[in-house]
Each structure stands twice: as structure tokens, then as C-alpha cells.
């Protein structure tokens, strides 16, 4: 992945601050494991962390960031700016106004508008405060436990997926999905299908972002798109279920299969057209 001079991606770097104390909503270690599985590259985690309390693990000790950590922060800042520039242009083309999300880098735990954010939850977008939360240790987990080779563009894909959830919030999709969930009219299996459509659309938006950003910035190098595909497939529901429980239960999918995640990311990348990403009509017939 080629770097550019773009900076100012609205990054709030909380690393080295010692983490946040307090209580996290949820039911203990089991809940955190479930959250890690369900919300890898996912959306609002408050639904799963909503049935009890767990003490957060921040130690309160501040430290200086290493040179490598500062370099990572600079990279995320650049990627955040890329997202802002690309989505601002796409929204203008469609007669809309784009507002960028903040990107919060943290370690261990931190406060979010959706409750206490923890490393075990993986990167997520919180609609309540319109911020993307990323603990970079997730990428070690992605490589070591889920078999994805992590590159700089892997980070770009994950961030773009989460910004895709922000785009859904700006377009009203998030609110419509939440209204369906709160209505109580739909079974868990039906809501799982809605969740899959939501997540695959975020993958589609990540593909659109990659295409449009490369067209204007020339950021892609050989292997970059494959690294995004590898990450998407690694956290497909079928791959996670095989690794965690030894079998696949499609009715419990919440993010889509590895094949679906690749398909929708590539559709976004190949078309570069936000209007081609109606996963809901495609998947909920």
C-alpha cells in the first residue's frame, strides 16, 4: 500500500493513557467471547453487552507510545483522511452531505457511547457517538487465530468496513435496522438475516471506498486487494464457527459467510457505485 501526505483523519489516540476504569455492560467472560465472535468487523456492540456487568481491566498507568505505535497512529490518520475525502465526494455526487466519524485508537478498554469498549470486542462502530473504535491488537488475533495475513491494507479494509457502518447511519439504514430489532416482531433467525445484510453492505461500501480512493490517490499495490479479501474471509461466520465450535450453523450467521464477504467487497470494488449495494433486497427475499 502506497502512503500519501494526507493527514487529519479525525483520530483520537487514547493509547498509552492506561485504559478506562468502571463497569462494562455484559455477562462476564462468556459474553466477551461471544462479542468477539459476533462483532468482529461488526456494528453496534451494545446489544450483546446489555445483560449484567463486568469490571473493566484498565490499569490506569500512563506510558509513552513507541516509535512503531506512533507510526501506526500516523497510518490510521492517513487512512481516516482517505475515507473522509472519498465519502465526501460520493455523497456530493448524490446530493448529500457527509460528516466524518471520529476514529478512536485505544488499548485494553475505553469509554464509548455504546458502553465500555474492550479489546475482546474487536473493531466496531458506535452509532450513538458516531465513532469507530479500534484496538490494534485485533490484527494480531486476526493473523494468529483466524489465519489472515495482516498487511497495511488489511487495516485499511477493516477501517473502511467500520466507516461503512457510519455511512449506513448517515443514510438511515442503521436506524431502520434498529427499529426492526426493537419492534419484537421478528424471530432471532430473521434478525440474524437482517444483520448479515447489514454487515455485507458495510463490506460492499469498503470495496467502493477502495476503488474510488485508488482511482484518485493510486494507493493500491499488488496483493493489497487480496489481503482485504483474506481478512474478510477469515472473519466469515462459517470460518469462525468452524474454528470455535467445529461445525457450521448457517441460521446463526450474523455477518455472512466467507464467500459472501468476498463477493460483496469485490462487487463494491468492481463497480465503485454506492447504488449497487442493496444487500437487503438481495438477501431478504
Amino acid at each position: 500500500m502506497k502512503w500519501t501526505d494526507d493527514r487529519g483523519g479525525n483520530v483520537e489516540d487514547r493509547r498509552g493513557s492506561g485504559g478506562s476504569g468502571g463497569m462494562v455492560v455484559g455477562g462476564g467472560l462468556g459474553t466477551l467471547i461471544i462479542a468477539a465472535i459476533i462483532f468482529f468487523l461488526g456494528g453496534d456492540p451494545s446489544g450483546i453487552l446489555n445483560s449484567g456487568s463486568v469490571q473493566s481491566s484498565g490499569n490506569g498507568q500512563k506510558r509513552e507510545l513507541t516509535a512503531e505505535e506512533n507510526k501506526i497512529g500516523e497510518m490510521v490518520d492517513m487512512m481516516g483522511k482517505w475515507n473522509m475525502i472519498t465519502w465526501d465526494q460520493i455523497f456530493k455526487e448524490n446530493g448529500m452531505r457527509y460528516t466524518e466519524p471520529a476514529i478512536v485508537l485505544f488499548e485494553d478498554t475505553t469509554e464509548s457511547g455504546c458502553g465500555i469498549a474492550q479489546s475482546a470486542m474487536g473493531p466496531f462502530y458506535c452509532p450513538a457517538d458516531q465513532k469507530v473504535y479500534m484496538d490494534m491488537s485485533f490484527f494480531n488475533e486476526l493473523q494468529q487465530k483466524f489465519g489472515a495475513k495482516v498487511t497495511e491494507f488489511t487495516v485499511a479494509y477493516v477501517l473502511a468496513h467500520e466507516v461503512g457502518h457510519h455511512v449506513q447511519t448517515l443514510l438511515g439504514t442503521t436506524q431502520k435496522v434498529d427499529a426492526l430489532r426493537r419492534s419484537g416482531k421478528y424471530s432471532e433467525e430473521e434478525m440474524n438475516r437482517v444483520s448479515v445484510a447489514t454487515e455485507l453492505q458495510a463490506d460492499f461500501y469498503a470495496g467502493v471506498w477502495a476503488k474510488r480512493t485508488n482511482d484518485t490517490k493510486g494507493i493500491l499495490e499488488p496483493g493489497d486487494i487480496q489481503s482485504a479479501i483474506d481478512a474478510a474471509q477469515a472473519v466469515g461466520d462459517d470460518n469462525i464457527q468452524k474454528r470455535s465450535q467445529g461445525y457450521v450453523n448457517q441460521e446463526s450467521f450474523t455477518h455472512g459467510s466467507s464467500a459472501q464477504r468476498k463477493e460483496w467487497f469485490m462487487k463494491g470494488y468492481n463497480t465503485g457505485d454506492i447504488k449497487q449495494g442493496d444487500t437487503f433486497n438481495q438477501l431478504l427475499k
Side-chain angles (χ1 to χ4, degrees):
M1 185 189 78
K2 297 177 182 178
W3 284 45
T4 69
D5 293 331
D6 297 288
R7 299 293 186 273
N10 202 19
V11 174
E12 188 179 330
D13 198 339
R14 302 180 188 175
R15 296 172 301 165
S17 65
S20 297
M23 306 297 286
V24 64
V25 210
L29 182 59
T31 298
L32 295 180
I33 293 173
I34 293 170
I37 293 173
I38 292 179
F39 291 102
F40 273 131
L41 309 189
D44 179 2
S46 59
I48 191 68
L49 299 178
N50 207 17
S51 61
S53 60
V54 153
Q55 187 70 36
S56 71
S57 57
N59 57 26
Q61 295 183 359
K62 295 184 179 181
R63 65 175 182 82
E64 293 294 323
L65 297 180
T66 66
E68 181 181 1
E69 287 172 325
N70 282 322
K71 189 70 173 178
I72 289 171
E74 184 181 357
M75 179 181 69
V76 173
D77 191 17
M78 174 181 66
M79 293 172 178
K81 186 68 171 182
W82 289 346
N83 273 275
M84 189 279 289
I85 293 171
T86 296
W87 283 111
D88 184 62
Q89 182 60 39
I90 292 172
F91 269 56
K92 284 179 179 177
E93 290 171 3
N94 289 276
M96 299 178 292
R97 180 175 177 271
Y98 181 73
T99 57
E100 63 180 318
I103 302 166
V104 179
L105 293 178
F106 74 99
E107 54 189 0
D108 298 327
T109 65
T110 195
E111 295 179 359
S112 84
C114 297
I116 298 295
Q118 298 205 5
S119 301
M121 293 157 57
F124 68 91
Y125 170 72
C126 175
D129 57 16
Q130 298 194 3
K131 294 182 178 182
V132 173
Y133 291 83
M134 297 178 68
D135 184 326
M136 302 305 290
S137 66
F138 163 77
F139 295 96
N140 294 328
E141 297 285 311
L142 187 62
Q143 183 161 296
Q144 295 169 8
K145 293 187 178 181
F146 295 94
K149 181 181 178 181
V150 172
T151 68
E152 289 179 345
F153 197 73
T154 306
V155 180
Y157 156 67
V158 171
L159 178 59
H161 175 101
E162 300 307 336
V163 173
H165 286 305
H166 178 64
V167 170
Q168 289 173 323
T169 297
L170 295 181
L171 296 178
T173 307
T174 304
Q175 295 86 333
K176 291 177 182 177
V177 170
D178 188 54
L180 290 178
R181 182 178 295 108
R182 293 177 182 275
S183 72
K185 297 179 180 179
Y186 302 95
S187 67
E188 181 179 355
E189 181 182 344
E190 289 171 326
M191 287 310 305
N192 284 345
R193 292 173 61 199
V194 172
S195 176
V196 168
T198 304
E199 296 300 331
L200 293 180
Q201 188 175 69
D203 276 333
F204 171 84
Y205 288 158
V208 169
W209 169 84
K211 167 67 173 175
R212 295 292 299 269
T213 303
N214 189 55
D215 286 347
T216 57
K217 298 289 183 181
I219 62 172
L220 292 177
E221 294 182 311
D224 282 344
I225 292 299
Q226 187 59 50
S227 71
I229 291 171
D230 289 346
Q233 291 180 318
V235 290
D237 285 319
D238 49 347
N239 186 48
I240 290 177
Q241 289 183 359
K242 285 177 184 176
R243 289 174 179 267
S244 63
Q245 63 191 24
Y247 63 91
V248 174
N249 177 11
Q250 190 169 350
E251 292 181 357
S252 66
F253 282 8
T254 58
H255 286 62
S257 68
S258 296
Q260 287 176 312
R261 299 199 71 158
K262 174 183 177 180
E263 174 190 354
W264 282 98
F265 173 81
M266 289 307 300
K267 184 175 181 179
Y269 178 71
N270 288 329
T271 66
D273 182 5
I274 191 175
K275 296 177 182 178
Q276 302 298 314
D278 189 352
T279 54
F280 295 89
N281 278 334
Q282 289 281 329
L283 299 169
L284 302 179
K285 294 178 180 177

